[in-house]
């Protein structure tokens, strides 16, 4: 199957994210690998996705699950070899699918040759990173790490501190140095020349810092550096330069992960004439259930706030920029457990999917989302592997700052490890993921929730996702239609229209476990509406909505 060559092919595509450690283990060592991915491509082809985004598979000391990279131009032995990557590329391209790599270039591992040379004082590399003298016997400023603790570590040899916005083993690259940017461009070109079809760019809006590196306001558990280390003064310049030097003239997808970005900033990053990025990952809707203390201080989800946020992004980006659409990824809890209802797992999973996939933007499906996988509900801190989770537990429980039971309940709900438990392929003891001991425990509910059972059940979450994905190819209004919000104050119903030429797409979803009326004028569905998809038996476009019911109707204008 030939690859589509349209310059905007990614607008009509659906992307599937693979977290390789947890996808499929081909050799029984308990860790997923590239040959394992290749063995499961039939599943992705049946699902109908167009693009595979591969989370990092590079050599790494594994301090932050591979996001601390020691060599950008090779494959970690736990995942296989470059020859395996080449075979995966060829298998995907042969099936008409593309391969997007994770580009993690805000920071490297402290074992990367650039940093070892920098730490040793090599004049060619010292300025690849941020080195500063201490202040008053401590770090250069009050910035805190995303993963708890200070964002600076003192190097005993030189007596200076280096900056790391994540773990101390992830020193931040100094993008103010043009040689750093040139080296990053070389890495990106190398992968594109090898056959990659684009990049997801990790925390790319962190690469421009305020040069003076001043103090920032304090909030929560650590210093908030958003005023000085996020969306910095040269960010647009750096991204435009990278587009010009690397992406110009290439048929690629680029998506920038951008915590803290707002609609106006994202629009500037994604307007085609500005030549920066295809789209961004924004986090506004992912932060709405965070309390004053951050993600581990969770609050119940509020449909009104969530709808207001998503609708504002839809209308704000409009037809000038482009949205990414996602509920799940390797950093987020499972959406069924977070915004849905495990007691109505299939209905809420499909209602949430309907709400998202019919919006304007490129949908992303995270592995297992298409099965309706849930949080793991791990109750013992010894079961967790995520550095953010472990650091938080150490910071608040081991020091007596929080009640252990309350802290563990928040961790069980919000930990990134909820997304990282192994893919549930079948009901066997290893869930079809491994014949060995998995690197992180398998969710016990894999005996009921697994791909083998889902594929065999025509009413499963999997087959509903298949139909949603197919609608993007069948109906241009799903890709290109104008977004019109409806029922913006309704406490339970998410409703909107998409309009293109003579077509009207009406999308409604009940985000509650009770039957609710649908208080819309029949004209909202256009003339002679036809039901395209729904997760309950059809009782009419405007019948009351049953618990977690979703419907999509197509009419004329």
């Amino acid at each position: 199957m030939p690859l589509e060559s349209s310059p905007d092919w990614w607008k009509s595509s659906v992307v599937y994210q693979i977290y390789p450690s947890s996808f499929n283990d081909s050799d029984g060592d308990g860790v997923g690998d590239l040959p394992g991915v290749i063995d499961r491509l039939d599943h992705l082809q049946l699902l109908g996705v167009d693009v595979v985004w591969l989370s990092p598979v590079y050599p790494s000391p594994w301090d932050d699950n591979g996001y601390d990279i020691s060599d950008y131009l090779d494959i970690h032995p736990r995942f296989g070899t470059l020859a395996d990557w080449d075979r995966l590329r060829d298998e995907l391209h042969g099936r008409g699918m593309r391969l997007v790599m994770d580009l993690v270039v805000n920071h490297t591992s402290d074992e990367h040759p650039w940093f070892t040379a920098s730490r040793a004082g090599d004049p060619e590399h010292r300025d690849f990173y941020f080195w500063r003298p201490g202040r008053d016997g401590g770090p250069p400023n009050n910035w805190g790490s995303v993963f708890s603790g200070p964002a600076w570590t003192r190097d005993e040899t030189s007596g200076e501190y280096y900056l790391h916005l994540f773990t101390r083993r992830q020193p931040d690259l100094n993008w103010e140095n043009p040689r750093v940017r040139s080296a990053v461009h070389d890495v990106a070109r190398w992968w594109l020349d090898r056959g990659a079809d684009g990049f997801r760019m990790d925390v790319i809006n962190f690469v421009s810092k305020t040069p003076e590196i001043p103090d920032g306001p304090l909030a929560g558990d650590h210093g908030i550096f958003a005023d000085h280390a996020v969306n910095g003064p040269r960010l647009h310049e750096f991204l435009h330069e990278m587009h010009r030097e690397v992406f110009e003239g290439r048929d690629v997808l680029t998506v920038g992960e951008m915590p803290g970005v707002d609609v106006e900033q994202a629009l500037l990053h994604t307007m085609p004439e500005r030549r920066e990025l295809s789209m961004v990952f924004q986090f506004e809707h992912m932060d709405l259930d965070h309390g004053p203390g951050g993600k581990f201080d969770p609050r119940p989800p509020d449909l009104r706030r969530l709808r207001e946020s998503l609708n504002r992004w839809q209308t704000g980006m409009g037809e000038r920029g482009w949205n990414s659409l996602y509920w799940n990824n390797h950093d987020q809890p499972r959406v069924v457990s977070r915004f849905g209802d495990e007691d109505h797992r299939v209905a809420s999973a499909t209602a949430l999917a309907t709400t998202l996939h019919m919006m304007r933007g490129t949908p992303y499906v995270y592995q297992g989302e298409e099965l309706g996988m849930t949080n793991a509900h791990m109750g013992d801190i010894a079961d967790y592997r995520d550095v953010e989770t472990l650091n938080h537990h150490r910071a608040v429980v081991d020091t007596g700052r929080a009640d252990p039971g309350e802290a563990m309940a928040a961790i069980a709900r919000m930990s990134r490890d909820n997304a990282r438990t192994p893919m549930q392929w079948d009901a066997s003891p290893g869930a079809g993921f491994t014949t060995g001991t998995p690197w992180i425990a398998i969710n016990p509910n894999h005996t009921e929730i697994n791909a083998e059972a889902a594929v065999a059940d025509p009413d499963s979450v999997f087959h509903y996702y298949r139909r949603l994905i197919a609608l993007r190819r069948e109906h241009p209004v799903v890709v290109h239609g104008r977004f019109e919000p409806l029922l913006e104050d309704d406490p339970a119903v998410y409703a909107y229209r998409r309009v293109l030429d003579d077509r009207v797409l009406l999308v409604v979803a009940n985000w509650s476990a009770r039957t609710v009326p649908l208080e819309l004028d029949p004209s909202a569905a256009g003339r002679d509406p036809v039901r395209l998809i729904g997760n309950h038996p059809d009782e009419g476009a405007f019948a009351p909505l049953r618990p977690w019911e979703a419907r999509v109707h197509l009419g004329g204008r």
Side-chain angles (χ1 to χ4, degrees):
M1 181 186 301
L3 293 173
E4 183 183 350
S5 60
S6 163
D8 291 339
W9 56 265
W10 35 268
K11 289 186 175 181
S12 58
S13 295
V14 176
V15 183
Y16 189 95
Q17 182 190 357
I18 287 177
Y19 192 72
S21 292
S22 300
F23 191 64
N24 192 42
D25 170 24
S26 71
D27 58 10
D29 67 354
V31 179
D33 47 47
L34 294 180
V37 173
I38 295 169
D39 288 345
R40 297 293 188 177
L41 292 184
D42 284 350
H43 175 82
L44 304 187
Q45 190 167 28
L46 180 61
L47 183 60
V49 296
D50 308 280
V51 183
V52 168
W53 154 27
L54 202 62
S55 288
V57 290
Y58 313 101
S60 165
W62 225 252
D63 191 55
D64 182 24
N65 290 71
Y67 283 84
D68 48 318
I69 295 168
S70 56
D71 184 352
Y72 288 108
L73 306 182
D74 205 352
I75 301 295
H76 196 299
R78 73 193 299 166
F79 296 127
T81 66
L82 280 169
D84 292 322
W85 186 92
D86 290 342
R87 188 159 63 95
L88 174 60
R89 172 205 62 208
D90 292 344
E91 290 281 349
L92 285 169
H93 287 176
R95 296 166 184 259
M97 291 185 274
R98 287 178 163 87
L99 178 58
V100 165
M101 295 291 283
D102 221 308
L103 190 66
V104 186
V105 287
N106 172 71
H107 47 265
T108 68
S109 164
D110 63 352
E111 294 186 15
H112 195 287
W114 297 342
F115 186 75
T116 57
S118 180
R119 174 177 261 167
D122 173 16
E124 293 293 315
H125 289 89
R126 184 68 174 178
D127 199 32
F128 264 49
Y129 299 85
F130 292 93
W131 292 96
R132 296 290 187 275
R135 183 184 67 180
D136 301 328
N141 69 13
N142 68 343
W143 290 3
S145 161
V146 173
F147 292 160
S148 302
W152 297 91
T153 290
R154 186 175 185 272
D155 175 58
E156 295 300 327
T157 301
S158 68
E160 289 195 320
Y161 290 78
Y162 66 87
L163 176 67
H164 54 87
L165 297 183
F166 295 89
T167 78
R168 66 176 181 81
R169 301 202 61 189
Q170 293 171 286
D172 277 48
L173 284 165
N174 176 16
W175 277 58
E176 295 290 323
N177 183 343
R179 289 185 294 114
V180 168
R181 303 198 302 274
S182 179
V184 168
H185 299 166
D186 287 343
V187 168
R189 276 192 294 264
W190 190 88
W191 281 105
L192 294 177
D193 291 343
R194 199 174 185 98
D197 299 295
F199 299 103
R200 176 266 188 182
M201 302 163 75
D202 187 70
V203 292
I204 198 64
N205 62 328
F206 286 24
V207 299
S208 175
K209 281 89 168 168
T210 301
E212 296 79 13
I213 309 189
D215 279 349
L218 295 175
D221 292 336
H222 54 261
I224 299 298
F225 42 79
D227 289 342
H228 305 297
V230 180
N231 303 314
R234 299 185 68 188
L235 178 60
H236 289 290
E237 174 192 344
F238 292 161
L239 293 177
H240 180 74
E241 177 187 61
M242 191 166 185
H243 187 285
R244 183 184 69 242
E245 297 297 323
V246 180
F247 305 135
E248 194 77 61
R250 295 182 187 259
D251 191 19
V252 297
L253 179 157
T254 55
V255 52
E257 183 196 31
M258 293 192 172
V261 74
D262 61 27
V263 175
E264 293 73 21
Q265 292 164 333
L267 186 59
L268 292 176
H269 289 304
T270 63
M271 291 169 65
E273 63 269 25
R274 292 179 57 86
R275 303 205 309 276
E276 292 188 21
L277 299 170
S278 308
M279 67 195 83
V280 305
F281 284 136
Q282 55 94 2
F283 284 73
E284 185 178 296
H285 66 303
M286 291 286 100
D287 294 341
L288 293 178
D289 59 349
H290 296 184
K295 68 180 287 183
F296 291 114
D297 179 26
R299 297 291 183 266
D302 183 331
L303 174 60
R304 287 188 177 97
R305 293 184 67 209
L306 184 67
R307 175 176 51 215
E308 189 279 329
S309 172
L310 291 176
N311 286 359
R312 181 160 37 79
W313 278 85
Q314 286 287 300
T315 56
M317 298 289 275
E319 299 180 23
R320 295 183 295 161
W322 194 253
N323 282 292
S324 67
L325 307 172
Y326 75 97
W327 291 133
N328 293 280
N329 62 36
H330 62 291
D331 284 335
Q332 303 294 338
R334 293 286 179 178
V335 71
V336 172
S337 304
R338 185 179 191 179
F339 298 148
D341 184 342
E342 289 191 20
D343 290 335
H344 296 266
R345 183 183 63 85
V346 172
S348 66
T350 51
L352 292 166
T354 305
T355 304
L356 196 76
H357 278 244
M358 295 296 100
M359 288 182 174
R360 183 179 175 89
T362 298
Y364 287 74
V365 178
Y366 179 70
Q367 63 184 48
E369 179 184 341
E370 77 279 16
L371 308 179
M373 281 178 61
T374 69
N375 278 357
H377 303 295
M378 295 184 286
D380 190 325
I381 194 62
D383 295 329
Y384 289 87
R385 302 291 180 267
D386 172 40
V387 63
E388 179 189 40
T389 301
L390 298 176
N391 283 354
H392 171 75
H393 187 271
R394 190 177 302 115
V396 301
V397 175
D398 294 358
T399 60
R401 289 167 52 199
D403 173 79
E406 291 178 1
M408 282 306 302
I411 284 171
R413 177 173 169 178
M414 300 301 289
S415 172
R416 301 192 299 177
D417 278 341
N418 285 304
R420 300 176 181 186
T421 58
M423 181 71 171
Q424 296 166 201
W425 293 107
D426 61 35
S428 68
F433 164 71
T434 186
T435 57
T437 302
W439 72 277
I440 188 171
I442 296 166
N443 193 326
N445 68 17
H446 76 277
T447 54
E448 293 83 35
I449 304 171
N450 60 71
E452 183 176 67
V455 171
D457 178 5
D459 296 321
S460 67
V461 177
F462 176 83
H463 286 293
Y464 194 91
Y465 265 77
R466 285 187 68 203
R467 295 193 291 274
L468 278 177
I469 291 168
L471 289 179
R472 298 186 67 79
R473 296 190 184 91
E474 296 168 8
H475 300 284
V477 65
V478 178
V479 178
H480 302 292
R482 182 175 69 254
F483 180 89
E484 297 180 353
L486 302 168
L487 301 179
E488 294 181 81
D489 295 320
D490 195 294
V493 178
Y494 202 139
Y496 59 87
R497 301 200 318 169
R498 304 290 307 284
V499 179
L500 180 69
D501 300 329
D502 62 347
R503 289 287 179 263
V504 174
L505 192 78
L506 175 65
V507 182
V508 296
N510 176 10
W511 281 47
S512 77
R514 65 185 189 278
T515 298
V516 297
L518 179 58
E519 297 177 347
L520 280 175
D521 187 282
S523 64
R527 292 183 293 100
D528 304 319
V530 175
R531 174 174 152 128
L532 295 184
I533 193 170
N535 62 358
H536 282 66
D538 187 7
E539 291 188 355
F542 295 92
L545 289 158
R546 288 155 287 189
W548 289 102
E549 181 173 5
R551 308 173 190 147
V552 179
H553 282 77
L554 181 68
R557 293 180 71 191

